[in-house]
Amino acid sequence: MTQEEIRKAFIDKIRNGEIKETGYDCPSGNEYVELLFIQFIVERDYIFPEVPKLDRVKYQWYIDNYDPILEYNDQFNKCIDKLGKNYKTRQAVLMMGDVAEIDENYVICTIYMHIFLDKIDDGTYNMTYIVHMRSNDAIEFGNDIIWHKNLIARIRTALKEKYGYITNTPTIVWDADSFHVYREFFEQIVHD
């Protein structure tokens, strides 16, 4: 699907009354529409142009909560080392989930990122960056993608000495097991 097709699918679900009630584990609202098993190539930093960028989740939240996970067990540097030793590796993965958290009330939304490099004829490299989300608020997507684009810049910088130029516009593939919109935004995105 494209991001525009996803936007339209959400609008159709709202108009058709395909509204679900959340369970005990959702702090963001009690009714929502949901798309399951969504994959798309990121073309823009938002799903809904109708909704102004939110300040609910500040960029600092990602730095405080996600960056320490990248540093845990030195996994960021190990991932870079794998790519530095073999640009064709399929093991350049950054794991965000922790099985120790499964007993807690909150399981992290971003499960992993997978990085691939592809050498092109002129000796430069393209990057494919795959994000796998357990749960993803489509309205907050714009905040999520900012953190991921900054992480991509860090990866490019870390690999520059080894590989030289890596494209400024990597392909970002977004996988969301549950992509959803809460009721508080229905009126903003559905208008006749």
Side-chain angles (χ1 to χ4, degrees):
M1 295 180 87
T2 67
Q3 286 174 259
E4 185 58 25
E5 289 169 334
I6 290 166
R7 177 183 164 276
K8 289 177 181 175
F10 276 123
I11 291 170
D12 287 346
K13 282 186 171 281
I14 293 166
R15 285 184 173 148
N16 294 333
E18 297 177 47
I19 299 165
K20 297 180 176 185
E21 288 189 27
T22 61
Y24 68 93
D25 63 348
C26 186
S28 298
N30 62 4
E31 291 185 325
Y32 65 103
V33 291
E34 177 178 54
L35 301 174
L36 295 175
F37 316 120
I38 296 301
Q39 183 180 73
F40 60 96
I41 293 175
V42 175
E43 302 163 325
R44 58 191 191 198
D45 293 354
Y46 56 87
I47 303 298
F48 298 100
E50 304 90 338
V51 180
K53 187 170 178 331
L54 301 178
D55 281 338
R56 285 194 311 203
V57 179
K58 306 255 187 237
Y59 184 72
Q60 188 63 42
W61 181 92
Y62 292 89
I63 293 170
D64 293 344
N65 291 280
Y66 277 17
D67 283 10
I69 297 170
L70 295 177
E71 302 309 321
Y72 180 74
N73 197 23
D74 203 27
Q75 78 160 323
F76 179 81
N77 289 325
K78 289 176 181 176
C79 179
I80 296 301
D81 287 345
K82 286 181 184 289
L83 286 164
K85 290 177 183 168
N86 176 9
Y87 76 88
K88 296 178 183 180
T89 186
R90 295 184 306 269
Q91 296 184 22
V93 178
L94 295 167
M95 303 296 294
M96 301 300 285
D98 182 347
V99 295
E101 292 181 347
I102 290 174
D103 292 334
E104 301 296 323
N105 288 334
Y106 180 76
V107 177
I108 197 163
C109 295
T110 306
I111 302 300
Y112 67 83
M113 291 80 71
H114 200 167
I115 300 102
F116 294 92
L117 294 179
D118 183 35
K119 190 173 186 178
I120 49 182
D121 292 340
D122 66 0
T124 62
Y125 294 82
N126 285 327
M127 180 190 297
T128 300
Y129 179 91
I130 301 170
V131 178
H132 190 93
M133 303 288 290
R134 169 192 65 79
S135 179
N136 199 178
D137 183 329
I139 302 295
E140 295 284 2
F141 170 76
N143 291 326
D144 292 330
I145 195 67
I146 290 169
W147 183 80
H148 285 283
K149 285 185 173 185
N150 281 309
L151 180 56
I152 289 166
R154 287 173 57 190
I155 294 166
R156 289 178 67 240
T157 298
L159 293 171
K160 186 175 184 176
E161 186 175 316
K162 174 72 177 181
Y163 294 119
Y165 181 75
I166 298 173
T167 182
N168 285 332
T169 54
T171 300
I172 302 173
V173 180
W174 204 269
D175 284 320
D177 293 341
S178 169
F179 211 32
H180 43 266
V181 175
Y182 292 101
R183 177 175 284 288
E184 68 181 286
F185 297 102
F186 289 1
E187 288 183 17
Q188 285 180 273
I189 64 176
V190 177
H191 33 7
D192 295 317

